[in-house]
Amino acid sequence: MIQLQQVERHFLLGEQSVAALAQIDLQIHAGEYVAVMGPSGSGKSTLLNVLGLLDRPDSGHYLLDGIDTAGLSEPALAELRSRSIGFVFQSFHLIPRLSARENIELPLTLAGIAPALRRQRVDELLAQLGICNRAAHKPAELSGGQRQRVAIGRAIAMSPRLLLADEPTGNLDSHSGEEVIKLLERLNREQGITLVVVTHDPRLGARASRQIRMADGIIVSDNQTAATGGTESIESPSLAGPTA
Ligand code: ADP
Ligand code: MG
């Protein structure tokens, strides 16, 4: 599903160019559950932004389902992002003046989905996320865990196949954090959504079926347990697709 080939991303720090990503080669298969770990500044967010088509590599190739995204125009990228990719951030990024329901509905409205269908889909999501009784509340009236649920609802409203979460539990207490992670895992397990989670928390990272560790813009280790597929796994020629 995802293929990065020699991907580089540099940022200017004063006069100096810093490689946030240095010659990254990475393959992620449909249905995988991957944790990305590593110290602050190691390039985790940059990697996720590139995977989420929020940022473009300076060089190298990002193939999404075999399509080289480097060749796509901005509108084509936006379309692909809207249809295929959901993004969850540490600080929720909800729109303060909109209710929970309206926040979740936004991507559907932007995609031109008819109002009746939108209402139905949002009802379904609110129920799935366990926040039906919070639908009319604004973000400021919700707990951190509830805000992140709304953000997840918005991220999956368009039924993306890829869900990227950048420290989704970073602003939550450990109990709400665990609830949020379980919710993400359920989406991976039951709907086969490919899940990539950046986390600082080794316990959360250990729950994924594959751990990628970064340092200074490179992948320093990438291990997969037998549970999930991946043809690049040397230990096990295992099944592709979601974990059972
Ligand atoms: P992480 O998420 O692992 O903490 P980042 O991907 O945010 O790391 O950052 C990796 C490196 O790239 C850091 O040195 C950071 O300062 C730099 N960097 C990231 N984004 C930008 C940016 N927009 N402008 C300048 N430097 C950046
Ligand atoms: Mg980061």
Side-chain angles (χ1 to χ4, degrees):
M1 175 185 213
I2 286 172
Q3 209 170 349
L4 297 184
Q5 298 168 342
Q6 295 285 297
V7 160
E8 305 220 3
R9 183 74 175 101
H10 298 269
F11 291 108
L12 275 181
L13 203 69
E15 306 271 273
Q16 239 183 345
S17 171
V18 176
L21 297 177
Q23 302 191 329
I24 298 278
D25 287 311
L26 176 66
Q27 271 193 58
I28 297 175
H29 296 267
E32 277 200 77
Y33 173 17
V34 182
V36 180
M37 292 180 283
S40 181
S42 57
K44 305 182 298 295
S45 294
T46 306
L47 176 65
L48 227 62
N49 290 341
V50 165
L51 293 180
L53 302 173
L54 297 172
D55 192 15
R56 284 184 191 252
D58 298 318
S59 63
H61 295 275
Y62 172 16
L63 281 70
L64 185 58
D65 293 324
I67 298 167
D68 192 342
T69 59
L72 299 177
S73 64
E74 274 307 322
L77 283 179
E79 168 79 9
L80 194 56
R81 202 159 50 221
S82 144
R83 303 266 160 203
S84 312
I85 303 172
F87 219 110
V88 177
F89 303 91
Q90 175 173 357
S91 47
F92 321 122
H93 290 193
L94 297 173
I95 297 181
R97 67 187 164 77
L98 299 183
S99 67
R101 160 179 287 281
E102 290 163 341
N103 267 285
I104 295 175
E105 189 176 10
L106 197 56
L108 302 167
T109 310
L110 293 174
I113 313 279
L117 266 180
R118 290 201 312 253
R119 205 170 311 122
Q120 192 186 337
R121 176 72 180 137
V122 177
D123 284 341
E124 208 175 273
L125 288 162
L126 288 165
Q128 190 185 350
L129 299 162
I131 47 174
C132 292
N133 58 351
R134 291 288 178 274
H137 291 258
K138 304 246 163 75
E141 302 157 352
L142 300 173
S143 72
Q146 289 165 347
R147 284 181 212 181
Q148 199 57 302
R149 282 162 190 266
V150 173
I152 292 170
R154 179 188 53 190
I156 64 170
M158 292 288 290
S159 308
R161 289 167 309 121
L162 174 61
L163 186 56
L164 305 167
D166 195 350
E167 312 224 16
T169 66
N171 281 341
L172 304 178
D173 63 74
S174 59
H175 176 72
S176 319
E178 179 146 343
E179 299 276 298
V180 159
I181 278 290
K182 284 186 173 157
L183 189 56
L184 295 173
E185 289 174 351
R186 188 148 57 91
L187 293 167
N188 169 255
R189 201 173 52 239
E190 293 175 6
Q191 298 179 24
I193 196 164
T194 308
L195 178 61
V196 183
V197 182
V198 170
T199 181
H200 259 115
D201 185 337
R203 281 171 315 157
L204 291 186
R207 297 169 64 114
S209 33
R210 177 176 177 189
Q211 286 81 25
I212 291 174
R213 265 168 227 287
M214 297 189 70
D216 299 325
I218 63 171
I219 293 175
V220 291
S221 76
D222 178 357
N223 70 296
Q224 287 172 288
T225 58
T228 329
T231 47
E232 76 268 40
S233 163
I234 23 171
E235 306 93 73
S236 61
S238 52
L239 306 162
T243 359

